[in-house]
Amino acid sequence: MNPDLSGKRIVLGITGGIACYKAAELTRRLMDHGATITVVMTDAATQFVTPTTFQALSGNPVYTETLDARMANSMAHINLSRQADAIIIVPASADFIAKLSHGLADDLLSTLCLAKGNCPLIVVPAMNREMWAHPATQRNLQQLLQDNATVWGPGSGSQACGETGSGRMLEPHEIVNETIAFFQEKLLHGKRVLITAGPTAEPIDPVRMITNRSSGKMGYAMARAAREAGAQVILVSGPTALEAPYDVQRISVTTAKQMYDQVMQHAHEADIFISVAAVADWHVSNFQENKIKKTGNAGMDLKFAPNPDILASVAALDNGPWCVGFAAETENLLEYAESKRQRKNIPLLVGNLAQDVMDADSTTMVLFEENGHQQLPTLPKLAASRQLIKHIALKLSA
Ligand code: C5P
């Protein structure tokens, strides 16, 4: 089991809307991460999915009535919120958002939200695009934000009603990621973090290119961990098959030169630059405009010219961001990584062995800094990224 939510007790409040069916999947996925789920449903929600579904999935009783004889004091609205680490309303209908914003309490779920005390309230809207865009809904939503509720989404796209626009509920996996992020310490709150990830690819002709074995997993995990820690993240990514982490601005590039241009454009606004990309050291200088034809058994001569060193260029900026580099070596890690840190003039360089980390799911990081080096335990890349983000936050606050 993945323990990201282990020990977390979550009340899932389900209101009436067709997106209810996705709340069933969400229940399972939150439990996969170790959360304990208690479901509270409005009357309208039970028209779409039955309480039995959620009882079977969560392994806990489902609550629908304000006065519930199954509780010794009959006060489900008090007991449930006192035991919870968060209440997530998913899907949150326009009607329920209106109710919350006015403090109405005419059923169990709305009463529970009013009686919740300090328990965080998270609202995940789902409704038709016109309902979402209506000034009344937007007004109600502003009120919820002022009252310290957290709102996730909505997304945009095709809707069950056949229309297309804003109002789609976030997908269950996005809500799971948001829930995990919600419980992470906000160590980089208000910071802007620029990250590079993946390989770059250098064209030989219009159909061929030279690239490397970087998958992008490490850089994407760093982007997710930074965002979980409360940072605003821009991810400049070479070609990968990975989905951009939720709420991270991804800029896709192909070549090292394109990556350089994008990084230099955004570096001045960043507080931290984390250079994870496996940038090609050279590009093909005799690039051919048309496809190179095979002629008999003749070979092909490629000529190479050096690419700009993006990390060193950012590190040399006046008032530039705090820089972190990554180095994958195949041998002499301690010697090569520290000399690289000094050459690029950066405060922190993360070294690892290329044969162990490229395209792998885990990593063993060695942190090189002015005062020496330290090895972190071998961890999945996301867990390692969270540790590294903690380390960076500590350095910045020192
Ligand atoms: O010199 P080397 O490629 O081993 O250095 C690794 C570090 O430098 C990484 O952080 C990588 O992202 C960065 N780098 C760069 N631009 C290059 C080459 C490497 O930003 N042209």
Side-chain angles (χ1 to χ4, degrees):
M1 181 191 286
N2 189 329
D4 285 337
L5 293 173
S6 107
K8 298 295 178 212
R9 294 154 307 174
I10 295 172
V11 170
L12 274 193
I14 303 179
T15 74
I18 185 58
C20 271
Y21 79 95
K22 292 189 182 175
E25 170 74 11
L26 176 64
T27 303
R28 289 288 292 127
R29 299 288 79 87
L30 288 170
M31 289 171 66
D32 285 347
H33 289 267
T36 303
I37 305 294
T38 305
V39 172
V40 177
M41 301 176 77
T42 63
D43 249 4
T46 62
Q47 309 288 314
F48 289 91
V49 189
T50 69
T52 314
T53 304
F54 289 102
Q55 183 177 342
L57 289 172
S58 69
N60 279 319
V62 171
Y63 296 91
T64 53
E65 303 299 329
T66 311
L67 299 174
D68 195 309
R70 288 173 297 179
M71 291 200 166
N73 60 0
S74 267
M75 294 190 198
H77 64 292
I78 304 290
N79 305 346
L80 292 175
S81 63
R82 296 300 178 273
Q83 293 157 5
D85 294 298
I87 301 168
I88 309 180
I89 310 295
V90 54
S93 65
D95 177 66
F96 198 77
I97 288 172
K99 234 178 193 181
L100 281 179
S101 77
H102 288 89
L104 298 186
D106 62 355
D107 63 5
L108 173 61
L109 188 56
S110 53
T111 311
L112 181 131
C113 290
L114 209 58
K116 71 179 186 56
N118 289 330
C119 181
L121 174 66
I122 299 158
V123 172
V124 190
M127 67 196 73
N128 165 267
R129 66 190 174 98
E130 296 290 4
M131 295 170 78
W132 173 250
H134 196 285
T137 303
Q138 291 304 314
R139 220 169 31 237
N140 292 335
L141 209 82
Q142 286 313 312
Q143 186 59 56
L144 290 193
L145 292 171
Q146 271 181 34
D147 293 345
N148 272 335
T150 300
V151 178
W152 293 340
S156 181
S158 76
Q159 303 198 305
C161 52
E163 299 182 358
T164 302
S166 270
R168 265 178 72 88
M169 190 174 90
L170 296 188
E171 294 301 331
H173 75 275
E174 293 175 315
I175 300 171
V176 170
N177 288 344
E178 282 300 84
T179 308
I180 293 167
F182 182 80
F183 290 111
Q184 298 295 318
E185 273 185 278
K186 301 299 170 225
L187 297 168
L188 293 182
H189 176 72
K191 299 280 185 221
R192 292 160 305 176
V193 181
L194 179 63
I195 298 176
T196 63
T200 63
E202 307 296 332
I204 297 169
D205 67 18
V207 296
R208 303 181 178 98
M209 44 190 11
I210 293 182
T211 186
N212 61 60
R213 289 181 47 214
S214 166
S215 62
K217 287 177 190 169
M218 191 68 237
Y220 277 58
M222 284 301 293
R224 179 170 163 187
R227 194 263 170 184
E228 283 179 350
Q232 221 177 304
V233 182
I234 297 181
L235 176 64
V236 182
S237 172
T240 78
L242 302 173
E243 189 181 339
Y246 179 70
D247 200 30
V248 162
Q249 182 191 341
R250 176 168 62 179
I251 300 170
S252 297
V253 297
T254 303
T255 66
K257 177 68 173 57
Q258 290 166 352
M259 186 173 273
Y260 173 87
D261 290 343
Q262 288 297 333
V263 167
M264 294 319 268
Q265 199 175 316
H266 292 92
H268 287 286
E269 307 143 18
D271 300 298
I272 302 166
F273 175 53
I274 308 176
S275 182
V276 194
V279 185
D281 289 315
W282 303 275
H283 65 271
V284 178
S285 57
N286 56 342
F287 167 80
Q288 301 292 310
E289 296 290 342
N290 292 308
K291 185 179 173 189
I292 302 168
K293 303 306 289 178
K294 197 166 55 176
T295 45
N297 286 328
M300 179 171 60
D301 284 329
L302 290 180
K303 290 193 167 43
F304 293 93
N307 279 326
D309 190 312
I310 304 171
L311 177 56
S313 308
V314 175
L317 290 174
D318 286 337
N319 297 320
W322 202 82
C323 289
V324 182
F326 272 69
E329 304 292 346
T330 53
E331 54 177 356
N332 297 338
L333 178 63
L334 297 189
E335 182 194 332
Y336 289 167
E338 176 54 22
S339 74
K340 208 166 263 184
R341 186 189 75 77
Q342 291 182 20
R343 203 167 57 245
K344 298 196 188 225
N345 195 21
I346 54 173
L348 172 59
L349 185 125
V350 181
N352 41 40
L353 288 170
Q355 55 273 40
D356 292 346
V357 294
M358 284 200 115
D359 203 20
D361 292 322
S362 299
T363 179
T364 313
M365 294 178 174
V366 186
L367 310 190
F368 294 85
E369 292 171 287
E370 200 176 1
N371 57 358
H373 69 268
Q374 57 169 308
Q375 183 169 325
L376 300 185
T378 300
L379 287 168
K381 285 181 173 172
L382 181 58
S385 297
R386 287 180 183 145
Q387 283 215 1
L388 184 56
I389 290 292
K390 209 172 262 182
H391 186 86
I392 293 170
L394 210 68
K395 290 285 161 186
L396 280 180
S397 66

